[in-house]
Amino acid sequence: MSSSQQRLQGRAAVWAGVRGRCPNCGQGRLFAGWLKVQPRCEACGFALKDIETGDGAATFIMQITGATVGMAAVAFNLAVQPPLWLNLVIWLPLVVLVSGGLMRPGKGLMTALNMLRTRKDG
């Protein structure tokens, strides 16, 4: 994509990142693996490897998962008072599923937001 072509802005760039697409053009894949970001977008050539996200997505996902699943577990235990083995069978897989399901969209969101911030700064 040449610099004269339209780049995604604002919500469109963020939505592309959440869907796992390049936040610059919305066409190419953002991820090369489960959470590994592509070095370059195959559609527009944008250098995705230069966008630093750090551990922001993981931090937010842990807090969201801990709060929602933790509060559900407390409410369930107060209402039902199940044995310990039932808690382990219910809540441990749920934590893994929720955090795993949110991690990729969260990393895409952080990538898109950092790309937009970097674009405005530089």
Side-chain angles (χ1 to χ4, degrees):
M1 173 185 282
S2 70
S3 60
S4 64
Q5 290 177 313
Q6 187 71 16
R7 296 187 306 182
L8 294 181
Q9 300 292 324
R11 289 184 184 163
V14 169
W15 183 241
V18 169
R19 289 183 333 201
R21 310 309 283 164
C22 171
N24 189 56
C25 69
Q27 301 300 315
R29 291 180 302 134
L30 179 59
F31 298 104
W34 177 245
L35 291 175
K36 182 177 166 120
V37 175
Q38 297 265 28
R40 287 195 147 323
C41 174
E42 69 248 6
C44 70
F46 185 76
L48 295 166
K49 68 175 173 19
D50 295 339
I51 303 172
E52 181 59 45
T53 60
D55 293 332
T59 302
F60 288 125
I61 301 306
M62 285 188 294
Q63 291 175 357
I64 292 167
T65 302
T68 56
V69 176
M71 294 309 272
V74 167
F76 180 74
N77 276 284
L78 290 174
V80 179
Q81 297 177 352
L84 179 60
W85 67 267
L86 185 57
N87 277 311
L88 294 174
V89 167
I90 294 172
W91 304 113
L92 287 180
L94 191 58
V95 165
V96 171
L97 289 172
V98 170
S99 59
L102 291 175
M103 191 57 72
R104 196 169 158 119
K107 176 106 178 199
L109 172 67
M110 294 298 288
T111 302
L113 290 173
N114 282 336
M115 182 208 67
L116 290 171
R117 181 187 58 83
T118 304
R119 241 196 239 164
K120 289 182 181 178
D121 290 347

